Amino acid sequence: DMPEVVSVSPDRVLKPHLAQGIPLIKAGTVRSTYNGAGVAIAICDTGIDTSHPRLGGGGFPNAKVIGGYDTGDNDSDPRPNLVEGEAHGTSCAGIAAGDLGTVEAYIGGVAHNAKLYALKISTGNTGSAYESDMIEAWEWCITHQNDDPTHPILLISTSFGGGYYTALCDQASPLMTAAAANAVAA
């Protein structure tokens, strides 16, 4: 009844919707004609939880996550801390190439037969990364592109950024621009 109140709505519980996401990004057609066999996707993010049943279900490396490195902490284990670590990279890996299977809204990744490389660019459990660690991960992908010749790294996924741009942003970080160009050339 107060004039300052425009409306009142219930605060509903929301859940992730991968099953709806694949059609919304128009990946259903691609997924039905190409399943990722014979390629690898490098996920440069907060690491991949390789114990997840749709991402190999074991240690590192495993049958799905076949390699990687932690450029954020400079060590050979690119998995997040399972207690305190960020799950963003695990989520990105599942969307890109998680094995098929239905669990609630999960239906498998877009390129479910692709292999994965985990590149943890974040520092510790922070969920944030330095540009230099992202660049190092991209360079690692170039250097290790053919570690498994039957599954070469042909895609690099990075969903980190340092600002909001509405136009060309190459001048904002010339080093990242050069590293991206090197990855495309490779």
Side-chain angles (χ1 to χ4, degrees), residues 7-26:
S7 68
V8 176
S9 298
D11 192 7
R12 299 177 294 139
V13 175
L14 304 176
K15 295 182 180 182
H17 288 132
L18 180 60
Q20 293 87 346
I22 288 176
L24 288 173
I25 63 172
K26 298 184 178 16

PDB file of all heavy atoms in Angstrom, residues 7-26:
ATOM      1  N   SER A   7       6.238  -3.034  -6.892  1.00  0.00           N
ATOM      2  CA  SER A   7       5.687  -4.385  -6.953  1.00  0.00           C
ATOM      3  C   SER A   7       6.352  -5.248  -5.899  1.00  0.00           C
ATOM      4  O   SER A   7       7.419  -4.913  -5.378  1.00  0.00           O
ATOM      5  CB  SER A   7       5.892  -4.995  -8.342  1.00  0.00           C
ATOM      6  OG  SER A   7       7.262  -5.234  -8.557  1.00  0.00           O
ATOM      7  N   VAL A   8       5.744  -6.395  -5.645  1.00  0.00           N
ATOM      8  CA  VAL A   8       6.288  -7.384  -4.725  1.00  0.00           C
ATOM      9  C   VAL A   8       6.216  -8.728  -5.435  1.00  0.00           C
ATOM     10  O   VAL A   8       5.183  -9.076  -6.010  1.00  0.00           O
ATOM     11  CB  VAL A   8       5.484  -7.433  -3.406  1.00  0.00           C
ATOM     12  CG1 VAL A   8       6.004  -8.532  -2.501  1.00  0.00           C
ATOM     13  CG2 VAL A   8       5.504  -6.087  -2.711  1.00  0.00           C
ATOM     14  N   SER A   9       7.318  -9.446  -5.416  1.00  0.00           N
ATOM     15  CA  SER A   9       7.371 -10.754  -6.072  1.00  0.00           C
ATOM     16  C   SER A   9       8.024 -11.750  -5.134  1.00  0.00           C
ATOM     17  O   SER A   9       8.892 -11.379  -4.332  1.00  0.00           O
ATOM     18  CB  SER A   9       8.197 -10.682  -7.361  1.00  0.00           C
ATOM     19  OG  SER A   9       7.621  -9.796  -8.269  1.00  0.00           O
ATOM     20  N   PRO A  10       7.684 -13.039  -5.266  1.00  0.00           N
ATOM     21  CA  PRO A  10       8.371 -14.047  -4.443  1.00  0.00           C
ATOM     22  C   PRO A  10       9.818 -14.211  -4.889  1.00  0.00           C
ATOM     23  O   PRO A  10      10.141 -14.003  -6.066  1.00  0.00           O
ATOM     24  CB  PRO A  10       7.572 -15.323  -4.705  1.00  0.00           C
ATOM     25  CG  PRO A  10       6.881 -15.090  -6.003  1.00  0.00           C
ATOM     26  CD  PRO A  10       6.671 -13.613  -6.122  1.00  0.00           C
ATOM     27  N   ASP A  11      10.696 -14.536  -3.965  1.00  0.00           N
ATOM     28  CA  ASP A  11      12.116 -14.777  -4.256  1.00  0.00           C
ATOM     29  C   ASP A  11      12.283 -16.268  -4.518  1.00  0.00           C
ATOM     30  O   ASP A  11      12.443 -17.069  -3.602  1.00  0.00           O
ATOM     31  CB  ASP A  11      12.974 -14.321  -3.077  1.00  0.00           C
ATOM     32  CG  ASP A  11      14.442 -14.268  -3.401  1.00  0.00           C
ATOM     33  OD1 ASP A  11      14.795 -14.464  -4.584  1.00  0.00           O
ATOM     34  OD2 ASP A  11      15.237 -14.042  -2.478  1.00  0.00           O
ATOM     35  N   ARG A  12      12.229 -16.657  -5.803  1.00  0.00           N
ATOM     36  CA  ARG A  12      12.268 -18.066  -6.193  1.00  0.00           C
ATOM     37  C   ARG A  12      13.691 -18.615  -6.162  1.00  0.00           C
ATOM     38  O   ARG A  12      14.651 -17.883  -6.370  1.00  0.00           O
ATOM     39  CB  ARG A  12      11.708 -18.242  -7.605  1.00  0.00           C
ATOM     40  CG  ARG A  12      10.260 -17.815  -7.725  1.00  0.00           C
ATOM     41  CD  ARG A  12       9.743 -17.932  -9.149  1.00  0.00           C
ATOM     42  NE  ARG A  12      10.438 -16.991 -10.008  1.00  0.00           N
ATOM     43  CZ  ARG A  12      10.859 -17.271 -11.239  1.00  0.00           C
ATOM     44  NH1 ARG A  12      10.646 -18.456 -11.764  1.00  0.00           N
ATOM     45  NH2 ARG A  12      11.487 -16.375 -11.958  1.00  0.00           N
ATOM     46  N   VAL A  13      13.825 -19.896  -5.930  1.00  0.00           N
ATOM     47  CA  VAL A  13      15.106 -20.583  -5.987  1.00  0.00           C
ATOM     48  C   VAL A  13      15.411 -20.881  -7.445  1.00  0.00           C
ATOM     49  O   VAL A  13      14.563 -21.422  -8.166  1.00  0.00           O
ATOM     50  CB  VAL A  13      15.081 -21.902  -5.175  1.00  0.00           C
ATOM     51  CG1 VAL A  13      16.375 -22.672  -5.349  1.00  0.00           C
ATOM     52  CG2 VAL A  13      14.823 -21.598  -3.708  1.00  0.00           C
ATOM     53  N   LEU A  14      16.602 -20.519  -7.902  1.00  0.00           N
ATOM     54  CA  LEU A  14      17.019 -20.734  -9.280  1.00  0.00           C
ATOM     55  C   LEU A  14      18.095 -21.807  -9.336  1.00  0.00           C
ATOM     56  O   LEU A  14      18.900 -21.927  -8.419  1.00  0.00           O
ATOM     57  CB  LEU A  14      17.552 -19.432  -9.885  1.00  0.00           C
ATOM     58  CG  LEU A  14      16.604 -18.240  -9.834  1.00  0.00           C
ATOM     59  CD1 LEU A  14      17.296 -17.000 -10.364  1.00  0.00           C
ATOM     60  CD2 LEU A  14      15.330 -18.519 -10.609  1.00  0.00           C
ATOM     61  N   LYS A  15      18.110 -22.577 -10.419  1.00  0.00           N
ATOM     62  CA  LYS A  15      19.097 -23.628 -10.607  1.00  0.00           C
ATOM     63  C   LYS A  15      19.696 -23.489 -12.003  1.00  0.00           C
ATOM     64  O   LYS A  15      19.051 -22.962 -12.904  1.00  0.00           O
ATOM     65  CB  LYS A  15      18.451 -25.011 -10.461  1.00  0.00           C
ATOM     66  CG  LYS A  15      17.938 -25.281  -9.066  1.00  0.00           C
ATOM     67  CD  LYS A  15      17.364 -26.663  -8.960  1.00  0.00           C
ATOM     68  CE  LYS A  15      16.857 -26.900  -7.545  1.00  0.00           C
ATOM     69  NZ  LYS A  15      16.332 -28.248  -7.391  1.00  0.00           N
ATOM     70  N   PRO A  16      20.926 -23.988 -12.211  1.00  0.00           N
ATOM     71  CA  PRO A  16      21.516 -23.929 -13.545  1.00  0.00           C
ATOM     72  C   PRO A  16      20.717 -24.790 -14.524  1.00  0.00           C
ATOM     73  O   PRO A  16      20.164 -25.818 -14.142  1.00  0.00           O
ATOM     74  CB  PRO A  16      22.930 -24.479 -13.361  1.00  0.00           C
ATOM     75  CG  PRO A  16      22.962 -25.103 -12.024  1.00  0.00           C
ATOM     76  CD  PRO A  16      21.801 -24.611 -11.242  1.00  0.00           C
ATOM     77  N   HIS A  17      20.680 -24.364 -15.775  1.00  0.00           N
ATOM     78  CA  HIS A  17      19.882 -25.048 -16.788  1.00  0.00           C
ATOM     79  C   HIS A  17      20.697 -25.369 -18.027  1.00  0.00           C
ATOM     80  O   HIS A  17      20.536 -24.740 -19.064  1.00  0.00           O
ATOM     81  CB  HIS A  17      18.678 -24.186 -17.191  1.00  0.00           C
ATOM     82  CG  HIS A  17      17.642 -24.107 -16.141  1.00  0.00           C
ATOM     83  ND1 HIS A  17      17.083 -22.927 -15.747  1.00  0.00           N
ATOM     84  CD2 HIS A  17      17.067 -25.064 -15.375  1.00  0.00           C
ATOM     85  CE1 HIS A  17      16.193 -23.154 -14.798  1.00  0.00           C
ATOM     86  NE2 HIS A  17      16.177 -24.446 -14.551  1.00  0.00           N
ATOM     87  N   LEU A  18      21.550 -26.354 -17.944  1.00  0.00           N
ATOM     88  CA  LEU A  18      22.333 -26.750 -19.107  1.00  0.00           C
ATOM     89  C   LEU A  18      21.447 -27.322 -20.202  1.00  0.00           C
ATOM     90  O   LEU A  18      21.662 -27.070 -21.380  1.00  0.00           O
ATOM     91  CB  LEU A  18      23.417 -27.758 -18.727  1.00  0.00           C
ATOM     92  CG  LEU A  18      24.293 -28.228 -19.877  1.00  0.00           C
ATOM     93  CD1 LEU A  18      25.013 -27.054 -20.521  1.00  0.00           C
ATOM     94  CD2 LEU A  18      25.289 -29.258 -19.412  1.00  0.00           C
ATOM     95  N   ALA A  19      20.442 -28.085 -19.836  1.00  0.00           N
ATOM     96  CA  ALA A  19      19.573 -28.690 -20.845  1.00  0.00           C
ATOM     97  C   ALA A  19      18.924 -27.612 -21.714  1.00  0.00           C
ATOM     98  O   ALA A  19      18.747 -27.798 -22.912  1.00  0.00           O
ATOM     99  CB  ALA A  19      18.501 -29.557 -20.181  1.00  0.00           C
ATOM    100  N   GLN A  20      18.594 -26.473 -21.133  1.00  0.00           N
ATOM    101  CA  GLN A  20      18.028 -25.377 -21.910  1.00  0.00           C
ATOM    102  C   GLN A  20      19.125 -24.569 -22.597  1.00  0.00           C
ATOM    103  O   GLN A  20      18.899 -23.961 -23.635  1.00  0.00           O
ATOM    104  CB  GLN A  20      17.207 -24.439 -21.014  1.00  0.00           C
ATOM    105  CG  GLN A  20      15.956 -25.076 -20.452  1.00  0.00           C
ATOM    106  CD  GLN A  20      16.204 -25.836 -19.149  1.00  0.00           C
ATOM    107  OE1 GLN A  20      17.340 -26.122 -18.780  1.00  0.00           O
ATOM    108  NE2 GLN A  20      15.141 -26.189 -18.459  1.00  0.00           N
ATOM    109  N   GLY A  21      20.314 -24.551 -22.003  1.00  0.00           N
ATOM    110  CA  GLY A  21      21.410 -23.732 -22.526  1.00  0.00           C
ATOM    111  C   GLY A  21      21.876 -24.166 -23.900  1.00  0.00           C
ATOM    112  O   GLY A  21      22.145 -23.329 -24.767  1.00  0.00           O
ATOM    113  N   ILE A  22      21.989 -25.459 -24.119  1.00  0.00           N
ATOM    114  CA  ILE A  22      22.478 -25.938 -25.417  1.00  0.00           C
ATOM    115  C   ILE A  22      21.555 -25.480 -26.548  1.00  0.00           C
ATOM    116  O   ILE A  22      22.027 -24.929 -27.532  1.00  0.00           O
ATOM    117  CB  ILE A  22      22.729 -27.457 -25.388  1.00  0.00           C
ATOM    118  CG1 ILE A  22      23.977 -27.728 -24.537  1.00  0.00           C
ATOM    119  CG2 ILE A  22      22.888 -28.026 -26.793  1.00  0.00           C
ATOM    120  CD1 ILE A  22      24.313 -29.175 -24.317  1.00  0.00           C
ATOM    121  N   PRO A  23      20.225 -25.624 -26.436  1.00  0.00           N
ATOM    122  CA  PRO A  23      19.372 -25.090 -27.500  1.00  0.00           C
ATOM    123  C   PRO A  23      19.431 -23.559 -27.602  1.00  0.00           C
ATOM    124  O   PRO A  23      19.402 -23.003 -28.701  1.00  0.00           O
ATOM    125  CB  PRO A  23      17.964 -25.548 -27.120  1.00  0.00           C
ATOM    126  CG  PRO A  23      18.144 -26.670 -26.174  1.00  0.00           C
ATOM    127  CD  PRO A  23      19.462 -26.436 -25.490  1.00  0.00           C
ATOM    128  N   LEU A  24      19.525 -22.872 -26.459  1.00  0.00           N
ATOM    129  CA  LEU A  24      19.533 -21.413 -26.493  1.00  0.00           C
ATOM    130  C   LEU A  24      20.771 -20.851 -27.185  1.00  0.00           C
ATOM    131  O   LEU A  24      20.701 -19.795 -27.813  1.00  0.00           O
ATOM    132  CB  LEU A  24      19.410 -20.842 -25.074  1.00  0.00           C
ATOM    133  CG  LEU A  24      18.027 -20.992 -24.445  1.00  0.00           C
ATOM    134  CD1 LEU A  24      18.065 -20.563 -22.978  1.00  0.00           C
ATOM    135  CD2 LEU A  24      17.002 -20.160 -25.205  1.00  0.00           C
ATOM    136  N   ILE A  25      21.917 -21.525 -27.070  1.00  0.00           N
ATOM    137  CA  ILE A  25      23.112 -21.052 -27.772  1.00  0.00           C
ATOM    138  C   ILE A  25      23.208 -21.660 -29.164  1.00  0.00           C
ATOM    139  O   ILE A  25      24.207 -21.512 -29.849  1.00  0.00           O
ATOM    140  CB  ILE A  25      24.405 -21.315 -26.966  1.00  0.00           C
ATOM    141  CG1 ILE A  25      24.649 -22.807 -26.768  1.00  0.00           C
ATOM    142  CG2 ILE A  25      24.390 -20.562 -25.658  1.00  0.00           C
ATOM    143  CD1 ILE A  25      26.001 -23.142 -26.144  1.00  0.00           C
ATOM    144  N   LYS A  26      22.126 -22.345 -29.558  1.00  0.00           N
ATOM    145  CA  LYS A  26      22.023 -22.961 -30.886  1.00  0.00           C
ATOM    146  C   LYS A  26      23.138 -23.977 -31.136  1.00  0.00           C
ATOM    147  O   LYS A  26      23.659 -24.089 -32.232  1.00  0.00           O
ATOM    148  CB  LYS A  26      21.971 -21.896 -31.971  1.00  0.00           C
ATOM    149  CG  LYS A  26      20.753 -20.990 -31.824  1.00  0.00           C
ATOM    150  CD  LYS A  26      20.643 -19.998 -32.936  1.00  0.00           C
ATOM    151  CE  LYS A  26      19.451 -19.105 -32.883  1.00  0.00           C
ATOM    152  NZ  LYS A  26      18.663 -18.916 -31.757  1.00  0.00           N
TER     153      LYS A  26
END
